[in-house]
Amino acid sequence: MVQAKESHEVDVVLSEAEQLREQRDRFLAFAFAASDLLLEVGDDSLIRYAVGATNQLLGGSPTEVIGRGWLDIFVETDRPLLVAKIGDLVAGKRCGPLLVSIRPAGGAARQPGARPMKVVFNACRIPDHEDVIYCTLTVANVSLAKTARAAARRTAGGLLNRKAFEESAVETLEAARAAGQDVEITFIEFVGAAGFRERLGGGRWKAFFDDAGTLLRSGSIESEAAGTIAEDRFGILHEAGADLGSEVRRQLAELAQSFDPAGGGLEVEQATITAASSELTSEEAAQALIYTINKVAAKGAASLGAESLAVSFHEQVMETQDRIAAFKAVVAGNKFDFAFQPIVDLETRSISHFEALTRFAHGESPYQTIVFAEDVGLIQDFDLASCRRAISYLAERSETSPVNLAVNVSGLSLQSDVFVETLMDLLRQHTQLAGRLMFEATESSRMHDLERVSRVFNAIKQLGFSMCLDDFGAGAASFQYLRALEVDYVKIDGTYTRRLLSSDRDSLMLRNLCELCRDLKIETIAEMIELDDQIERLRSLGVQMGQGYLLGQPAPQPVFSSPAVPQRQKA
């Protein structure tokens, strides 16, 4: 009897072990149906188990991979994102897909010239195994990369953000045109949503918005062509016919009514236009699509009178021609003004110089107007007019005048031979202004030929005029510019100043930048200073000068009074 009982217990144990092995086999099969590599990572951040293409991706067998730090697999720039995502992961949840890069297989022994590989990363925690993170890596193809990028750029309700929607809509339109497929784009607007949102409350509004997002995505092509283009304004690209736009509008109105405790619902406006058009080239259709999205984002669905992208393109062309003519008149007649904002020494609060900010009539946005001028090839003419205005302003004042000016110049202008030659002639005629005039190279337009731009910078500096790199940190190429261009000043983008008091990461980045600039003998300027606490933090990090409303607002003429240095309280 004892032997029979022991035999039965052994059978039970074997049966449970077999069940575990079967479950693991199913899990592995599930993972490998969609991935190339599976990793188990312990709470010590070391790899416990690996199976799959370890040799190809990680440069070693599964056994050799065990015990390695999982973050060491990835390039350094992607590690903070992965740490943040994993830190928020709880049992029963997953993160991803994330498009990241792994280091070339072989680590330090890799072949010279080997490049990181793009992979799609997914991870999860399983109940009763909270101390383990299960990760999968899949070599990214075009489709997977697109899906991962889209997932990273979704807003509430699972909808793409505006930039991602524009990109996805253009790609979808191009694919539809190539396949001879007719598509339409429908714009949806929640009119007067503030009252509806207030009646629902935060939690119920979120539930409604999630359902509305699902509804919008289900109506779009591949669910990847639906997005938020402005607050309470949305767009979806879908197959033509069947009046799908009106049907989506009806369903959204019914959904809102079902959520509203008062039963009033929400007014939903809709406008649909035909996207496919043989009258337009692919580039023209894309331009018309972006133009239409921008128009609805700014003015709402009711503003859309066009029935097709062809009509939108014609409207865009006419509008652009009118804007070009108006802008040419502004340049020819010098119909713009300067507003002078001081750049202040953060230690003494004394004024170093003033930035000459452009102001246009009728309250036009300077940034949008400059970007438009860059897009239509008129920025060189405008920059020359601005430089002439600044030179004339300084030349009319005596050499003992304390006014020193910084004037903005587009990166596109600095890559134009005609602009550079004309500017250099102007500077040679006014060498007495050396030391009083500097140029801020703006990053609204990318500088591609850095070797050429570097020669321009050096030629200007040799005449005694200073160069400043504006908006540093706002674009991906900022450090590339700093490495290639010899400048006297770096102006730090204002987003860093605004996040400074709440972000240790931004503080660390600024501290490192200031140390680098100090070694390169470059002075640093911080933008958008509005608080004394920001000044104290900037000074502690090594920033030397600042600009912002706290230190002086833009004015029609330079104002030399600056805020006094706050008295520090004695301990």
Side-chain angles (χ1 to χ4, degrees):
M1 291 294 294
V2 173
Q3 288 182 340
K5 181 179 180 181
E6 289 178 349
S7 175
H8 175 70
E9 289 176 347
V10 169
D11 289 341
V12 170
V13 171
L14 289 175
S15 177
E16 289 176 351
E18 289 173 352
Q19 288 178 12
L20 289 173
R21 282 196 297 271
E22 184 176 357
Q23 290 176 3
R24 184 168 192 119
D25 289 343
R26 287 173 177 170
F27 181 69
L28 290 173
F30 176 74
F32 282 111
S35 63
D36 297 308
L37 180 64
L38 172 68
L39 302 175
E40 290 182 13
V41 179
D43 54 10
D44 55 2
S45 295
L46 300 180
I47 297 173
R48 293 185 179 181
Y49 178 80
V51 64
T54 56
N55 280 298
Q56 296 91 326
L57 298 183
L58 306 184
S61 67
T63 303
E64 294 170 328
V65 167
I66 293 174
R68 288 173 56 181
W70 75 284
L71 280 176
D72 293 339
I73 295 171
F74 304 94
V75 299
E76 291 185 9
T77 52
D78 285 338
R79 293 173 190 173
L81 170 65
L82 291 164
V83 169
K85 292 293 185 180
I86 292 300
D88 294 334
L89 201 55
V90 297
K93 299 293 184 181
R94 64 180 180 181
C95 75
L98 301 175
L99 186 64
V100 294
S101 296
I102 59 173
R103 300 167 61 198
R110 61 184 180 273
Q111 293 295 324
R115 295 182 177 181
M117 180 184 296
K118 289 288 185 183
V119 297
V120 175
F121 173 89
N122 289 276
C124 68
R125 290 187 190 269
I126 298 175
D128 300 326
H129 294 80
E130 286 84 355
D131 61 336
V132 178
I133 302 168
Y134 298 89
C135 311
T136 63
L137 302 180
T138 309
V139 176
N141 55 33
V142 174
S143 178
L144 283 175
K146 179 181 177 181
T147 301
R149 282 195 297 267
R153 296 187 291 177
R154 292 196 184 281
T155 63
L159 299 170
L160 298 178
N161 64 29
R162 178 169 166 180
K163 182 174 176 58
F165 173 65
E166 288 179 354
E167 294 173 358
S168 179
V170 169
E171 290 178 5
T172 303
L173 175 61
E174 179 64 24
R177 286 167 58 89
Q181 181 182 9
D182 290 333
V183 293
E184 295 175 337
I185 182 167
T186 289
F187 296 99
I188 297 291
E189 180 176 6
F190 295 158
V191 181
F196 178 73
R197 189 183 292 112
E198 184 177 346
R199 290 196 300 275
L200 265 58
R204 196 165 177 81
W205 164 260
K206 183 181 183 303
F208 162 76
F209 202 87
D210 287 343
D211 288 353
T214 300
L215 199 158
L216 289 167
R217 291 173 60 197
S218 66
S220 72
I221 297 176
E222 298 179 350
S223 79
E224 293 298 336
T228 302
I229 60 175
E231 185 177 11
D232 300 329
R233 293 171 185 170
F234 317 92
I236 57 174
L237 211 67
H238 55 84
E239 295 182 5
D243 202 11
L244 180 62
S246 296
E247 178 61 18
V248 169
R249 175 187 180 184
R250 183 189 65 78
Q251 292 178 7
L252 286 170
E254 290 181 354
L255 179 68
Q257 191 169 24
S258 68
F259 268 83
D260 192 347
L266 178 66
E267 182 182 352
V268 181
E269 286 192 352
Q270 163 253 333
T272 300
I273 66 172
T274 302
S277 175
S278 58
E279 303 172 38
L280 304 177
T281 65
S282 295
E283 184 178 352
E284 290 170 344
Q287 290 175 0
L289 180 58
I290 299 300
Y291 168 82
T292 306
I293 292 172
N294 290 338
K295 183 175 181 179
V296 173
K299 300 181 180 179
S303 68
L304 197 62
E307 297 178 353
S308 69
L309 284 187
V311 175
S312 284
F313 182 74
H314 177 72
E315 180 181 324
Q316 177 191 13
V317 169
M318 297 302 295
E319 183 178 304
T320 301
Q321 288 177 345
D322 290 343
R323 288 188 69 187
I324 289 174
F327 189 78
K328 284 183 175 179
V330 167
V331 175
N334 277 318
K335 298 177 181 177
F336 61 92
D337 294 308
F338 281 155
F340 300 88
Q341 187 171 28
I343 312 296
V344 175
D345 184 293
L346 295 183
E347 176 69 27
T348 64
R349 299 292 178 96
S350 61
I351 293 174
S352 166
H353 58 280
F354 292 84
E355 181 180 2
L357 301 168
T358 304
R359 293 293 183 263
F360 297 99
H362 311 301
E364 295 178 29
S365 163
Y367 177 79
Q368 295 297 334
T369 304
I370 295 302
V371 170
F372 170 76
E374 290 175 335
D375 289 342
V376 298
L378 295 177
I379 189 61
Q380 293 90 342
D381 294 338
F382 176 73
D383 280 349
L384 279 174
S386 294
C387 291
R388 288 192 179 101
R389 171 74 68 86
I391 289 171
S392 296
Y393 182 89
L394 292 175
E396 289 171 359
R397 285 150 179 82
S398 67
E399 294 183 10
T400 58
S401 169
V403 179
N404 299 323
L405 285 186
V407 63
N408 292 291
V409 178
S410 166
L412 281 181
S413 296
L414 293 168
Q415 296 170 96
S416 164
D417 289 339
V418 173
F419 172 85
V420 171
E421 290 173 7
T422 306
L423 177 62
M424 294 303 294
D425 286 341
L426 277 171
L427 297 182
R428 291 188 191 100
Q429 296 170 30
H430 296 87
T431 54
Q432 78 278 9
L433 300 180
R436 297 178 57 199
L437 177 64
M438 80 163 64
F439 299 94
E440 292 191 8
T442 64
E443 203 180 331
S444 54
S445 183
R446 184 82 181 265
M447 291 181 284
H448 297 284
D449 192 345
L450 290 181
E451 184 176 344
R452 180 183 183 185
V453 175
S454 177
R455 291 195 296 269
V456 175
F457 275 38
N458 291 338
I460 293 174
K461 284 166 58 67
Q462 285 174 6
L463 291 177
F465 298 89
S466 300
M467 295 299 304
C468 175
L469 195 56
D470 196 10
D471 301 322
F472 191 89
S478 291
F479 279 97
Q480 184 182 356
Y481 293 161
L482 189 59
R483 185 169 67 102
L485 306 173
E486 291 189 18
V487 297
D488 304 287
Y489 300 87
V490 162
K491 182 175 283 188
I492 301 162
D493 187 72
T495 54
Y496 286 94
T497 304
R498 287 181 169 173
R499 296 196 300 249
L500 195 61
L501 300 178
S502 59
S503 171
D504 292 337
R505 180 183 176 87
D506 285 329
S507 294
L508 180 60
M509 292 180 68
L510 280 189
R511 184 184 299 278
N512 292 333
L513 170 63
C514 290
E515 290 178 359
L516 174 62
C517 287
R518 185 170 59 249
D519 292 340
L520 295 173
K521 295 180 173 55
I522 297 172
E523 296 193 65
T524 49
I525 306 170
E527 292 183 309
M528 297 186 183
I529 296 177
E530 298 175 351
L531 302 169
D532 279 310
D533 288 347
Q534 291 173 332
I535 292 180
E536 292 306 310
R537 179 65 63 84
L538 288 167
R539 288 180 56 205
S540 71
L541 298 175
V543 179
Q544 295 149 308
M545 288 183 279
Q547 179 179 9
Y549 274 32
L550 179 67
L551 300 173
Q553 298 189 24
Q557 293 296 328
V559 177
F560 287 92
S561 61
S562 59
V565 180
Q567 296 295 318
R568 294 181 176 83
Q569 294 183 353
K570 296 182 180 180

